Amino acid sequence: IRDIKLNQACRALRETTLSIPSICKLVGYETTEHFMRTFKKAYGMTPGNIGKLPVRFWKNNWFSSHASV
C-alpha cells in the first residue's frame, strides 16, 4: 500500500500543480510530516526536489524501481 501511495504522489508531483500538503492528503497520508519522512526514506530525496530531476528519471520510471524498504 505504501508503494502505491508513493507512486501516486510521484505522479501527482510530476503532472499537477498541487501543493505537497494537498498531494499528501490526496494519496492518503494524514500529516505532511509523515508523508515527507516516508517519501525521503523511500527515494532518498524530498518531494520538493522532484521538479529538479531530469526528464530521463520519469521516462525510465525510475521512482517505481527505486523505492526502498
Side-chain angles (χ1 to χ4, degrees):
I1 292 174
R2 181 201 68 129
D3 290 342
I4 292 169
K5 287 181 178 182
L6 291 175
N7 283 328
Q8 289 173 338
C10 284
R11 187 173 186 175
L13 287 163
R14 183 179 77 222
E15 297 176 359
T16 73
T17 57
L18 292 172
S19 67
I20 292 172
S22 296
I23 289 171
C24 97
K25 289 181 183 180
L26 177 73
V27 300
Y29 283 91
E30 291 188 27
T31 67
T32 303
E33 293 80 15
H34 179 62
F35 170 69
M36 299 282 277
R37 279 193 311 272
T38 303
F39 193 97
K40 187 167 184 175
K41 185 175 181 181
Y43 298 121
M45 66 184 77
T46 64
N49 290 330
I50 295 299
K52 300 174 186 174
L53 291 174
V55 174
R56 66 187 155 114
F57 286 102
W58 301 112
K59 288 184 178 179
N60 295 331
N61 204 15
W62 183 84
F63 284 94
S64 293
S65 61
H66 284 78
S68 61
V69 179

